[in-house]
Amino acid sequence: KSTMPDIAKSDISPNLDRDKMFNELWWLNYCFCEGVGIGAVGNPFFGGEAVNICLHSRCEMTDVGDPFCSNIRVCLCITDQCSLPPAEGSPICVCFNKKLAGGDGWSGQQLFDWSTSFGDTFWLYYIFCMGLGFSAPQANGRPLFAVQAKELCIKGGTKLTTPMEGGKLCSMVSTRLCFWEQCALPPAEGAPMFVCFNLLNKKGASAKPLAYGS
């Protein structure tokens, strides 16, 4: 189920909360519809959720390993997947959907709310841990466009969604180390509008740098 705009709060972290940021964050700058503030580091180190017209994206920290890196992507009729170490059951070699060596294929690979098995796709090739194949668009319930990837401790993804659902062109909350960001167009209700070094910030006048999210 879509959680599309307005991205006022993300389930990635309770600190990725737009209204809480408006009230408690020390804003380095804010101009009309977006701004950057200085908050605590590490809760989380990285994370964010955004909608841009018809694309919904997420990024979050996760555990290193299991697997170390992975990717699954669908774009219309093309599906590709990789995983290191290889997903359980992965064949060693497939050519034009003919399995030449290795297992019968993995199952339960997840791409947002769509789950797929190896046999759902006609594989042009598959070698050891990665491959590319074809299917009819939206076959077996797959999305028209979606991608999820993990590299060590960072996991992210993007999927197609209904354009401007909720009436916003874009909407976002995110953090990278001490930088906390928010954006919405049209501007979110209660936005600081115009702030520089936390001056003119009526809601968060008492906020301190590096305090938010601690």
Side-chain angles (χ1 to χ4, degrees):
K1 182 179 179 180
S2 176
T3 57
M4 287 334 323
D6 190 2
I7 302 289
K9 184 183 295 187
S10 174
D11 60 9
I12 292 171
S13 167
N15 288 322
L16 291 172
D17 182 326
R18 183 188 67 200
D19 295 334
K20 185 179 176 183
M21 291 165 72
F22 287 166
N23 290 322
E24 301 177 18
L25 181 61
W26 188 92
W27 291 97
L28 178 64
N29 63 71
Y30 201 100
C31 184
F32 183 56
C33 64
E34 66 175 327
V36 179
I38 305 297
V41 178
N43 198 17
F45 286 104
F46 301 94
E49 187 165 3
V51 171
N52 289 291
I53 305 179
C54 62
L55 294 177
H56 177 200
S57 302
R58 290 169 58 92
C59 178
E60 59 188 304
M61 289 198 69
T62 187
D63 294 332
V64 176
D66 195 31
F68 290 107
C69 62
S70 65
N71 177 85
I72 182 167
R73 174 174 53 186
V74 172
C75 184
L76 300 178
C77 63
I78 298 172
T79 297
D80 63 271
Q81 181 270 344
C82 74
S83 180
L84 193 65
E88 185 177 353
S90 292
I92 295 173
C93 184
V94 172
C95 186
F96 287 96
N97 216 46
K98 177 72 173 179
K99 294 172 189 161
L100 303 178
D104 291 330
W106 38 255
S107 61
Q109 289 284 312
Q110 201 74 25
L111 179 57
F112 290 96
D113 53 0
W114 176 60
S115 181
T116 184
S117 297
F118 193 84
D120 294 336
T121 300
F122 180 95
W123 293 95
L124 177 63
Y125 67 85
Y126 201 96
I127 301 175
F128 182 55
C129 65
M130 60 183 292
L132 181 145
F134 297 96
S135 69
Q138 296 187 295
N140 309 108
R142 72 191 68 207
L144 281 172
F145 170 79
V147 58
Q148 274 189 317
K150 177 182 183 289
E151 296 181 355
L152 299 180
C153 64
I154 303 295
K155 178 182 177 181
T158 299
K159 67 177 179 178
L160 198 66
T161 190
T162 305
M164 292 188 65
E165 187 174 342
K168 292 214 180 314
L169 281 168
C170 61
S171 185
M172 176 267 287
V173 286
S174 71
T175 183
R176 298 188 308 275
L177 301 177
C178 68
F179 297 103
W180 296 75
E181 301 176 65
Q182 183 275 329
C183 174
L185 189 65
E189 183 179 352
M193 300 305 288
F194 299 102
V195 173
C196 185
F197 291 98
N198 214 51
L199 298 175
L200 304 179
N201 184 7
K202 295 179 181 179
K203 285 189 174 182
S206 61
K208 303 296 182 184
L210 299 173
Y212 180 80
S214 59

